[in-house]
Amino acid sequence: MNFAIIAAGEGSRLVQEGVALPKPLVDLDGRPMIRRLIDIFTACGAESLSVIVNEQMTAVRAYLEELAPTLPFPFHLVVKSTPSSMHSFYEVSRVFDGAGKFILTTVDTIFREPEFRAYVEAFEADDKADGCMAVTSFIDDEKPLYIDVDPETDLITAFRDAPNGHDRYISGGIYGLTTPAIRVLEKCMEQGVSRMRNYQRALVDAGLKLRAYPFEKIVDVDHAGDIATARTFIAG
């Protein structure tokens, strides 16, 4: 399995709230949050890892460049400032090793390792779906992306900005995808699509079969107060 991390956001809200460290280097459990992700991916048998950081993240870049020689798999670092997470995904997708399945997440998507391991195993075993997307009924995001799921097949049928009163899930920000998803991404870039959620809608419109995989809880670190929440969540 190939893995990728988007760590190209500015983290401006954390800075405004007094957090001096760049978001990827914030300590959650004795490790920077990006190192925690890398350790989890390593334990899940990562074949390669690709990471994108923005051009202003000199400390994060230095940290990753020092870490890279110790990793037991190929590591690709992209340094580029982008206007959205979808654009970051496009840039990092260009350095993926080979084809096949990959899992992408943002650096501040926080989950418990056992749930993630089970998700990886389920995605690896699924030979029918074009993707396996993490979903959760726990709403922590300020602007959640609601998801319609066919109860008989567990396939995602729609991504919506607003709830419809019958929602079970929102997007968890963990994207397990395959090569056809990259072709849709390239088409979205050509058409000027600008947001990750619109790219996800394009996946459904293109007919890709996206399996919904439920997580009990996923939290995001967007504000200073979220750091304590994430630490408690991981420790629990």
Side-chain angles (χ1 to χ4, degrees):
M1 183 74 69
N2 298 308
F3 292 87
I5 301 171
I6 296 175
E10 296 179 355
S12 57
R13 284 173 290 189
L14 290 183
V15 173
Q16 292 169 3
E17 294 168 6
V19 178
L21 281 173
K23 184 189 288 189
L25 299 184
V26 170
D27 186 324
L28 294 183
D29 63 347
R31 297 170 288 180
M33 67 171 72
I34 195 166
R35 179 58 188 265
R36 178 177 181 269
L37 278 179
I38 293 171
D39 288 348
I40 291 173
F41 295 164
T42 302
C44 288
E47 298 174 54
S48 74
L49 173 64
S50 305
V51 180
I52 181 169
V53 300
N54 68 44
E55 294 162 12
Q56 290 72 46
M57 285 184 169
T58 54
V60 180
R61 177 179 182 177
Y63 176 84
L64 291 172
E65 288 176 340
E66 183 176 352
L67 179 64
T70 70
L71 299 176
F73 42 69
F75 174 76
H76 309 288
L77 178 61
V78 178
V79 180
K80 188 169 184 177
S81 299
T82 63
S84 76
S85 57
M86 193 202 81
H87 289 79
S88 294
F89 176 25
Y90 173 73
E91 295 297 336
V92 80
S93 73
R94 300 172 74 184
V95 298
F96 282 169
D97 278 350
K101 296 183 176 182
F102 62 90
I103 293 174
L104 169 82
T105 181
T106 53
V107 71
D108 60 346
T109 299
I110 310 302
F111 44 78
R112 290 197 177 105
E113 184 171 354
E115 274 197 306
F116 186 78
R117 281 176 171 270
Y119 161 75
V120 172
E121 292 172 0
F123 184 33
E124 287 178 328
D126 192 335
D127 58 359
K128 295 181 179 179
D130 298 301
C132 186
M133 314 291 264
V135 301
T136 180
S137 57
F138 175 78
I139 300 180
D140 177 62
D141 201 308
E142 293 178 344
K143 295 181 180 179
L145 180 61
Y146 297 90
I147 295 178
D148 291 343
V149 179
D150 185 322
E152 294 185 2
T153 63
D154 291 328
L155 294 180
I156 295 171
T157 58
F159 293 93
R160 293 178 293 98
D161 292 325
N164 64 7
H166 303 286
D167 304 284
R168 293 176 58 200
Y169 300 121
I170 63 168
S171 172
I174 304 170
Y175 315 96
L177 296 167
T178 55
T179 303
I182 297 296
R183 293 196 287 268
V184 175
L185 176 63
E186 292 168 348
K187 191 171 182 180
C188 283
M189 291 293 293
E190 292 171 1
Q191 295 174 341
V193 175
S194 61
R195 302 183 69 191
M196 194 70 170
R197 58 183 56 198
N198 290 330
Y199 163 66
Q200 293 178 78
R201 293 184 178 106
L203 292 173
V204 174
D205 292 343
L208 271 64
K209 296 179 180 179
L210 305 176
R211 190 90 61 201
Y213 186 92
F215 277 62
E216 180 182 352
K217 186 176 180 180
I218 297 172
V219 301
D220 294 324
V221 178
D222 293 321
H223 296 279
D226 297 333
I227 296 173
T229 299
R231 287 171 176 164
T232 301
F233 172 54
I234 292 171

